[in-house]
DNA sequence: TGTACATCAGTGAACGCGCGTTCACTGATGTAC
DNA sequence: TGTACATCAGTGAACGCGCGTTCACTGATGTAC
């Protein structure tokens, strides 16, 4: 008999103060991320569903994002930054450049398996036709090339090794495993750590 | 001034004869495949769009498929069969088991690059929650295991090599390259054949 | 050979749904005088 | 200190759209007698 029953229509949050325009923006991105994780379906992350989750009406979204594409792109960039930071942190836990690459690979795969829907968007989605100049994952890849190059200068790899080519090979191998695990969970996979270490061993030898 | 102008509404095909129930079924699957290639977007392959492409009304689809899921599953199975046949054929063009695996890998990648949208559905999509017993790509994978096993019996690989594990490694590596090429076409990829041969060389050595 | 009838491949109209986006508005918050 | 006003973060209602699916039907094809 009280107002709580009308919850779906009543806004559940107070209007932001003057300078706090970014508060809702961040709440929107957080809600989008949460929705993606909970539903496990990119299609379920709609403007309307996000607005519902935040406790705001759909048009309020447009106060902070020009359209849906821009919202999704912003979420991707946020996720890419988090992914990159995680892999970099894992790589810094040792000074041995080869072991460092191995730990990066494990952190990479773990991110994918822990956040399969975000992994899909970041690495398996369609390129947004939006802004061709903005290649979102590029920074993360460049960091991998740097890590390989450090291995070369440290003498762990042959000096004529092309760090870019080696990085491509390592990346596609780890990505192949990660994305296959995500897309085909019912396949009778052998132990993940075992395959991953095998992949690393193969690639970090030549 | 003639009837042609009303094309969008007028059916453009004759009704099937008595025993020809399967004709429309095949036309539907062909149209779905064609739509997927032309639009490059799985979402564009709707019941209504397929009906439009075939020249039939939407309810006619339900004469041949229980619902949309079943239609998409049938298309997937058709594509998987084609993919499998193509890879097998490539593998049979030589008697050398190692070279045979290399040719299989190239055929695999070529299929993906030639039919990116089908590749997405077959290898990068979500598992249909439909019929858990039916793992559509399993036959193709088993053929790969067989091919590796032939290499072992021929003495090309160490006799203690586990063909299943080796097949998983080879598959995920080639899949990683293929899917990355599809998802990130703007990445400054090195020459595809070169990376692919490199991947094969790495995996077909140990 | 002719006709009544069953079969079957489709049609046409409608259903309810959720979507992205626009538009005119409201009401609280802060500011100038 | 009080009041008129501008600003700004949101609301509420509506738009047009394409979707999957259902339902009662039609009309051509074949069959039994």
């Amino acid at each position: 008999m009280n107002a709580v029953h009308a919850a779906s229509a009543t806004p559940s949050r107070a209007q932001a103060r003057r300078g706090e325009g970014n508060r809702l923006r961040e709440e929107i991105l957080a809600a989008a991320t949460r929705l993606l994780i909970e539903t496990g379906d990119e299609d379920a992350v709609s403007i309307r569903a996000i607005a519902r989750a935040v406790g705001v009406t759909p048009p309020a979204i447009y106060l902070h994002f020009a359209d849906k594409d821009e919202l999704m792109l912003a979420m991707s960039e946020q996720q890419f930054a988090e992914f990159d930071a995680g892999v970099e942190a894992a790589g810094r836990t040792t000074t041995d450049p080869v072991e460092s690459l191995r730990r990066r690979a494990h952190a990479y795969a773990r991110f994918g398996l822990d956040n399969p829907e975000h992994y899909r968007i970041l690495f398996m989605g369609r390129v947004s036709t939006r802004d061709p100049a903005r290649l979102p994952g590029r920074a993360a890849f460049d960091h991998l090339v740097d890590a390989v190059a450090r291995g070369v200068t440290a003498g762990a790899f042959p000096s004529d090794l092309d760090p870019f080519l080696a990085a491509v090979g390592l990346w596609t191998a780890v990505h192949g495993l990660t994305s296959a695990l995500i897309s085909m969970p019912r396949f009778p996979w052998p132990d993940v750590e075992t395959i991953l270490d095998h992949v690393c061993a193969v690639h970090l030898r030549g």
Side-chain angles (χ1 to χ4, degrees), chain A residues 4-206:
Chain A
V4 172
H5 287 263
S8 72
T10 18
S12 57
R13 65 189 286 291
Q15 181 166 323
R17 289 279 174 88
R18 272 300 165 89
E20 302 179 340
N22 276 342
R23 208 185 72 193
L24 178 54
R25 189 190 150 91
E26 273 153 35
E27 283 179 41
I28 289 168
L29 288 177
T33 294
R34 197 170 0 102
L35 262 176
L36 191 57
I37 291 168
E38 283 168 6
T39 63
D41 180 5
E42 194 182 343
D43 289 344
V45 184
S46 63
I47 291 276
R48 298 171 106 107
I50 294 167
R52 224 176 293 133
V54 174
V56 109
T57 59
I61 308 274
Y62 291 87
L63 259 28
H64 300 276
F65 301 94
D67 53 27
K68 199 194 175 187
D69 277 6
E70 203 175 271
L71 197 168
M72 298 303 274
L73 197 65
M75 184 177 71
S76 291
E77 281 171 348
Q78 206 178 55
Q79 287 292 316
F80 252 126
E82 237 171 75
F83 162 82
D84 187 30
V87 172
E88 286 298 296
R92 275 192 302 267
T93 55
T94 175
T95 52
D96 174 9
V98 175
E99 172 62 14
S100 174
L101 282 168
R102 206 189 63 82
R103 293 192 188 175
R104 294 176 67 100
H106 279 262
Y108 182 110
R110 198 176 329 278
F111 175 89
L113 298 178
D114 287 349
N115 312 279
E117 295 308 317
H118 285 107
Y119 190 87
R120 288 194 110 99
I121 289 183
L122 298 186
F123 293 106
M124 303 163 69
R126 276 158 233 285
V127 192
S128 82
T129 48
R130 206 83 188 157
D131 180 357
R134 230 154 124 196
L135 256 191
R138 195 53 204 268
F141 179 78
D142 288 344
H143 290 153
L144 173 59
V145 177
D146 291 347
V148 173
R150 281 194 295 275
V152 174
T153 35
F157 303 127
S159 64
D160 65 338
L161 181 84
D162 179 343
F164 179 80
L165 273 174
V168 168
L170 187 56
W171 170 41
T172 57
V174 177
H175 160 70
L177 181 58
T178 306
S179 66
L181 282 163
I182 289 174
S183 289
M184 323 191 75
R186 283 211 292 267
F187 184 85
W189 295 105
D191 178 64
V192 178
E193 301 293 319
T194 308
I195 332 175
L196 198 48
D197 276 335
H198 171 73
V199 166
C200 290
V202 165
H203 273 87
L204 299 180
R205 206 190 306 131

